[in-house]
Amino acid sequence: MRKWQIPVRAIKRADDANRLRAMLLRLAAVVLALVVGGLFFLALGFNPIEVYVSLVEGAVGTTTALRMTARLCIPLLITSLAVTLAFKMRFWNIGAEGQIGVGAIAASYVAVYHDDMPRVLLLLVMAAVGFIAGGLYGAIPAYFKAKFGTNETLFTLMLNYVAFYTIQALAQGAWKDPAGMGFPKIARFSSQAQLPMVFGVHIGWIVALALVALVYWYLRCTKQGYELTVVGENENTARYAGIRVPRIYVRTMALSGALCGFAGFLAVSAVSHTLSTSTAGGRGFTAIIVAWLAKMNPFVMILISALLSFLDKGAVQIASDFGLNEYVSKIISGVILFFILGSEFFINYQVKTGAKHK
């Protein structure tokens, strides 16, 4: 019988301590992404260097642009912290979009119907109801998983649509702005319901940085953080150790949803000053990427959130400067993100080639 020589590609887990290798691979991924993106714009007839200069100037080239990028970063960072809490216990919360939306709905109700309160009290109530509404919405799929073993991925994903269409129904019905010229929208909030500025950016950036430290402390230094980590590593071990897994599910998802609800409050109070179906703006899904790339490290999430917000804001400038639609200009963001995500495989694993097996 004839023997065939079959090349074997061995894949083994890379050394976690080799940080220099990880840094070089990420840098190589960014360079390759810029080259591929440059070729794409060259094929469209544009100078890639001019395109990239436009991207940088649009994101951080002026004080106004820098502040706008920071405004995009804040709710994304908070949402990333929120999904991290769930992901650490391997509860796949894909419903951050809906939790943001529900928090925004609750905060908007207070802004629309109770803006006669003193400003500080109004903003505190808006933040509180957004936080609570998001928490309750996040606890729903956790309760059903704990009680009936439902699939949290599908459950949280479907709840996104419930929140989305609720906002749409409000904009076309009970909360429709009479002065909207026939266009279904919710009236813009009064100045009472808008967050104040600190250094040209709304005060939410201070809260976001405080939440980074709090989430890090919660995960690393508290009994509750230890419990959810044990549940994530091995649920059977957690049960054997006497940890009440259903309680951990509900408690952690309530906290995760609450942070998303708070991000929804910031989105309507500090950014758009109204409620719409684009309030979440895809942040719930982008936050998953941020949390994964940061390896659940809250401090690293600051950098990843800033990078993605930089690309998002710069893409808008490219569209304006070169007469492209927003979707074409965002291709560069997608290409860069694709290469960075792809590099994570080679950071976590080493591929051995050249070995032979009979």
Side-chain angles (χ1 to χ4, degrees):
M1 183 176 179
R2 187 176 180 180
K3 296 181 179 179
W4 295 89
Q5 297 285 342
I6 303 174
V8 175
R9 294 173 180 171
I11 300 176
K12 68 174 185 177
R13 193 155 191 87
D15 182 8
D16 292 336
N18 197 340
R19 295 184 178 181
L20 177 60
R21 175 177 175 273
M23 186 183 302
L24 291 175
L25 282 171
R26 290 192 178 100
L27 181 61
V30 172
V31 172
L32 284 173
L34 292 176
V35 171
V36 172
L39 292 174
F40 171 77
F41 284 109
L42 191 63
L44 292 178
F46 300 109
N47 185 331
I49 296 177
E50 292 179 356
V51 172
Y52 290 136
V53 169
S54 174
L55 185 146
V56 174
E57 289 180 347
V60 296
T62 64
T63 302
T64 302
L66 183 60
R67 289 171 178 172
M68 290 295 294
T69 302
R71 287 172 59 183
L72 291 174
C73 180
I74 293 165
L76 176 59
L77 175 58
I78 294 175
T79 308
S80 302
L81 296 171
V83 298
T84 294
L85 293 172
F87 290 172
K88 283 287 285 185
M89 65 172 183
R90 297 192 181 277
F91 188 103
W92 309 118
N93 180 16
I94 315 298
E97 288 275 301
Q99 292 148 24
I100 291 172
V102 168
I105 291 171
S108 298
Y109 171 79
V110 178
V112 171
Y113 292 104
H114 300 283
D115 62 349
D116 55 344
M117 289 189 285
R119 186 182 186 187
V120 174
L121 179 60
L122 176 64
L123 291 172
L124 288 174
V125 172
M126 288 173 63
V129 297
F131 188 86
I132 294 170
L136 293 174
Y137 207 60
I140 294 173
Y143 172 80
F144 276 87
K145 180 178 176 65
K147 190 74 173 177
F148 306 108
T150 57
N151 185 301
E152 73 273 14
T153 303
L154 293 176
F155 205 126
T156 53
L157 182 63
M158 293 300 103
L159 286 178
N160 289 336
Y161 294 98
V162 175
F164 177 85
Y165 288 114
T166 299
I167 295 174
Q168 197 170 65
L170 291 171
Q172 296 179 1
W175 293 4
K176 183 177 179 180
D177 183 9
M181 303 294 291
F183 184 76
K185 67 174 185 177
I186 296 170
R188 186 178 177 85
F189 298 168
S190 67
S191 58
Q192 288 283 96
Q194 299 178 18
L195 279 178
M197 299 288 184
V198 177
F199 300 122
V201 183
H202 65 81
I203 199 171
W205 69 269
I206 299 176
V207 180
L209 293 179
L211 285 173
V212 169
L214 282 172
V215 170
Y216 182 87
W217 170 80
Y218 180 82
L219 291 174
R220 299 294 181 93
C221 305
T222 67
K223 175 187 175 184
Q224 291 79 8
Y226 171 75
E227 287 176 338
L228 72 89
T229 302
V230 173
V231 170
E233 290 177 352
N234 193 310
E235 186 177 318
N236 291 328
T237 300
R239 294 181 188 277
Y240 182 78
I243 296 175
R244 297 181 179 180
V245 175
R247 177 182 292 182
I248 305 302
Y249 279 150
V250 176
R251 182 181 68 198
T252 304
M253 269 303 295
L255 185 55
S256 177
L259 288 180
C260 289
F262 184 79
F265 154 69
L266 290 180
V268 295
S269 178
V271 181
S272 63
H273 302 144
T274 188
L275 176 67
S276 69
T277 53
S278 61
T279 292
R283 295 184 187 94
F285 298 115
T286 307
I288 298 172
I289 299 173
V290 174
W292 190 77
L293 285 176
K295 299 185 183 300
M296 312 300 170
N297 186 318
F299 289 103
V300 178
M301 288 178 201
I302 299 174
L303 300 177
I304 305 298
S305 298
L307 172 63
L308 296 185
S309 300
F310 170 89
L311 294 174
D312 194 25
K313 181 64 176 65
V316 176
Q317 187 66 36
I318 292 174
S320 174
D321 289 348
F322 295 91
L324 300 171
N325 65 59
E326 186 178 350
Y327 301 103
V328 173
S329 63
K330 283 188 175 182
I331 288 178
I332 183 62
S333 303
V335 169
I336 292 175
L337 193 58
F338 173 80
F339 275 87
I340 292 176
L341 289 169
S343 71
E344 291 299 312
F345 172 81
F346 296 97
I347 290 170
N348 294 321
Y349 298 94
Q350 287 182 329
V351 180
K352 300 293 184 179
T353 59
K356 298 291 183 179
H357 176 69
K358 292 185 179 182

